[in-house]
Amino acid sequence: MLDPHVFRDQLDITIQRLRDRYFEFDRSAWSALEIARRKAIQDLEGLKADRNKITDQIRSRKQAQENTSDLLEKQKASSENLAQCEKVMRDIESEWESFLSLIPNVPHVSVPLGQTSGNNQEIKTWGTPRVLDHPQDHIDLGVHLGILDLERATKITGSRFAVLKGAGAQLERALGAFMLDIHLKHGYSEVIPPYLVNPESMYGTGQLPKFENDLFKVPHGESHLYLIPTAEVPITNLYRDEILKETELPVRHCALTPCFRSEAGSYGKDTKGIIRQHQFHKVELVSFTREEDAPQELERLTENAENILEMLELPYRRMLLCTGDMGFSSHKTYDLEVWLPSQQTYREISSCSWFGTFQARRIGLKYRTSPPKGGNRHLHTLNGSALAIGRTWVAIIENGQQADGSIVLPKALVPYMGGLERITL
RNA sequence: GGAGAGUUGCCGGAGUGGCCGAACGGGUUCGCCUGCUAAGCGAAUGUUCAGGGUAAACCUGGACCGGGGGUUCGAAUCCCCCACUCUCCGCCA
């Protein structure tokens, strides 16, 4: 949620920045809502002020043992009016809020303009992509080695689920442990959050109200819960409605969780293999910082993610997403893309974003500035995958493939694989 | 799932239906004192919305004592529903 004040003080520039990301702000609807809201507030507060005054008079008359019946009459007479105003107020307020909640974040000035991923900007590349004459994809390699079983997963659950076996399962587990260990050294504190969250949490990070179709929804009691699509949701909501101390910032957390995505809008894409699954593991980094520290925190966090790729000897590039390709809540996003020999291209393996105060505003997340400044300000939230484990698995299998179909594992991973250097038949 | 006890400001903890936005204590900040520290003394210390003033300070009004309803002229205080926490019982990995 954007600060409503920017629609009063900096309306034109904000509209332009939203247009940059292809969101058309409905100016007249907003202005109508603003006027109606202000009037409703003033009407209601005026009535309440009157009521409070009379109540005060009743009290002092009672103390003086005087007659109060005329005041009581007056008070009763206005109560209906007040109830009416309250209803108007409630309706307007919720309309006003839902209008705001559907507006995406504005892009940072450094974000390149453009509508599609073709306009993303390459910031850097690392490593030398392997170009093979006859590359096999992770499906052929995995099935052949007996470490990946898609057919049985389909039997158990359905499409877009996988079973990992033997060294494949071990590799998945090793990757999670390896990544977490590195991020502990990077200064993140590990968290294991719930994998089911309530609707408020989903609203807080911006998945709701717009993207419910992408989520798995689970009935629970009178209400329902959602399976997390990323650890971003529970971790960012950790401090909801709290005021942190400036001295304890930045707060950095990492978490390994399963992620569940319904991917309702992606039926045609990546139908084969485990690139796009309904369930996958991911190590997520989340940072909470002051405004002035946020830009460099995004760089730091992205570098922490890149560090994993480098330690795993996987060629990648860093892309700065253009305005049209950014997520709803994002202020600025870098994607890391890993080289996949079978596709002869780079594929997304991490997304690192800075949200400004967009999420903090929805979540009620602030920090208390130290005197003499004083006062509370919204925190800046950031997060990034570091990394998506399923796709890392794919990248390791494909990049490590040998002519004989075996997989040479990155050196950094060997200790986590019980000394195993190569996956063979 | 059953029974009971709770939920108040940064923290602890009072609060008879009416100057209670909330006693008291602690913490924190500022000042005084002090060779330094501690102690002591004095003062300050909520959020948010609307309006006025705007560089700010500030002023006026509304709301907020877990959340939502209700009773009442008036609710932190009474009633109902819900959530959460704690203790005991049951069940369970």
Side-chain angles (χ1 to χ4, degrees):
Chain A
M1 175 125 68
L2 290 169
D3 184 350
H5 291 105
V6 303
F7 295 113
R8 295 171 195 154
D9 308 336
Q10 306 161 41
L11 184 61
D12 290 330
I13 188 173
T14 303
I15 286 178
Q16 183 52 49
R17 296 211 300 170
L18 288 170
R19 196 170 284 146
D20 285 345
R21 54 129 80 217
Y22 308 96
F23 180 86
E24 204 47 50
F25 180 83
D26 189 339
R27 196 172 191 140
S28 63
W30 168 250
S31 122
L33 273 174
E34 274 283 272
I35 291 168
R37 175 171 178 268
R38 192 162 307 156
K39 180 173 187 314
I41 288 173
Q42 286 171 3
D43 288 353
L44 181 63
E45 292 192 350
L47 285 175
K48 283 188 171 175
D50 290 347
R51 184 200 61 185
N52 289 347
K53 275 198 201 93
I54 297 176
T55 295
D56 255 12
Q57 288 171 24
I58 293 174
R59 182 181 42 77
S60 37
R61 277 209 209 169
K62 285 226 169 180
Q63 275 169 356
Q65 310 222 324
E66 290 168 6
N67 186 297
T68 58
S69 55
D70 59 324
L71 292 177
L72 295 183
E73 288 291 316
K74 207 167 159 188
Q75 202 71 313
K76 275 191 175 159
S78 71
S79 72
E80 198 172 310
N81 202 354
L82 195 116
Q84 178 61 30
C85 276
E86 260 171 350
K87 188 185 170 333
V88 170
M89 177 69 209
R90 261 199 302 276
D91 292 349
I92 289 286
E93 187 78 15
S94 80
E95 215 180 313
W96 184 81
E97 268 176 26
S98 91
F99 181 90
L100 280 177
S101 75
L102 292 169
I103 298 169
N105 202 352
V106 293
H108 185 259
V109 289
S110 63
V111 173
L113 299 182
Q115 195 151 14
T116 65
S117 58
N119 297 306
N120 294 345
Q121 209 176 83
E122 183 179 290
I123 302 293
K124 66 181 273 199
T125 61
W126 184 92
T128 310
R130 271 185 88 187
V131 180
L132 302 168
D133 288 338
H134 303 288
Q136 291 188 268
D137 67 19
H138 68 280
I139 306 162
D140 293 340
L141 292 161
V143 170
H144 176 69
L145 289 166
I147 60 176
L148 173 64
D149 191 335
L150 295 170
E151 287 180 16
R152 290 199 177 95
T154 305
K155 177 171 66 183
I156 301 167
T157 307
S159 65
R160 292 197 191 280
F161 286 88
V163 173
L164 299 178
K165 301 188 292 190
Q170 200 185 344
L171 176 59
E172 177 94 358
R173 177 162 57 86
L175 283 169
F178 166 73
M179 291 179 194
L180 284 174
D181 282 352
I182 301 301
H183 294 315
L184 292 187
K185 289 184 188 143
H186 288 146
Y188 296 84
S189 146
E190 187 174 347
V191 172
I192 299 184
Y195 304 149
L196 286 157
V197 300
N198 57 35
E200 291 74 38
S201 295
M202 284 297 182
Y203 175 84
T205 33
Q207 277 75 17
L208 292 181
K210 266 193 101 170
F211 306 101
E212 181 164 27
N213 283 344
D214 293 338
L215 302 170
F216 284 101
K217 190 171 177 177
V218 181
H220 180 250
E222 304 283 293
S223 180
H224 56 269
L225 299 171
Y226 296 95
L227 283 162
I228 57 171
T230 159
E232 164 191 353
V233 177
I235 310 290
T236 307
N237 277 281
L238 253 186
Y239 305 108
R240 187 162 79 211
D241 293 322
E242 292 189 36
I243 300 171
L244 305 184
K245 294 196 188 83
E246 185 172 15
T247 49
E248 63 195 16
L249 299 175
V251 171
R252 300 189 175 108
H253 288 301
C254 60
L256 164 60
T257 70
C259 302
F260 303 91
R261 297 188 182 176
S262 177
E263 300 279 7
S266 61
Y267 287 115
K269 289 185 221 160
D270 302 309
T271 47
K272 291 198 318 184
I274 63 169
I275 297 276
R276 193 174 298 274
Q277 295 274 288
H278 285 314
Q279 175 193 320
F280 59 98
H281 288 107
K282 182 158 62 67
V283 169
E284 184 77 3
L285 306 177
V286 179
S287 285
F288 304 90
T289 73
R290 306 185 298 174
E291 175 174 14
E292 53 267 46
D293 300 332
Q296 59 262 41
E297 186 70 12
L298 177 64
E299 301 301 320
R300 183 186 192 276
L301 190 145
T302 307
E303 282 161 21
N304 294 153
E306 289 173 341
N307 189 225
I308 300 288
L309 284 162
E310 291 171 18
M311 293 185 77
L312 293 176
E313 304 164 40
L314 296 170
Y316 69 89
R317 62 178 186 179
R318 187 207 290 199
M319 306 297 286
L320 173 57
L321 295 196
C322 69
T323 50
D325 207 23
M326 287 201 310
F328 177 77
S329 305
S330 177
H331 187 44
K332 178 174 182 176
T333 298
Y334 290 121
D335 271 8
L336 301 181
E337 300 179 340
V338 71
W339 178 258
L340 291 189
S342 72
Q343 301 187 8
Q344 296 290 300
T345 185
Y346 289 98
R347 292 300 307 267
E348 178 183 346
I349 195 167
S350 168
S351 191
C352 301
S353 300
W354 167 24
F355 301 94
T357 58
F358 191 87
Q359 294 179 325
R361 218 169 271 288
R362 291 175 164 233
I363 283 175
L365 176 58
K366 300 181 175 181
Y367 67 99
R368 190 182 313 287
T369 57
S370 312
K373 285 174 284 174
N376 301 333
R377 297 162 69 185
H378 284 100
L379 278 161
H380 281 232
T381 58
L382 305 98
N383 67 55
S385 12
L387 305 164
I389 292 177
R391 290 189 180 180
T392 309
W393 192 97
V394 169
I396 284 176
I397 297 299
E398 293 201 4
N399 282 283
Q401 65 181 291
Q402 306 298 309
D404 64 358
S406 68
I407 313 294
V408 172
L409 294 171
K411 287 180 195 61
L413 221 46
V414 172
Y416 290 87
M417 292 294 289
L420 188 71
E421 295 176 354
R422 183 190 280 253
I423 300 176
T424 55
L425 262 183

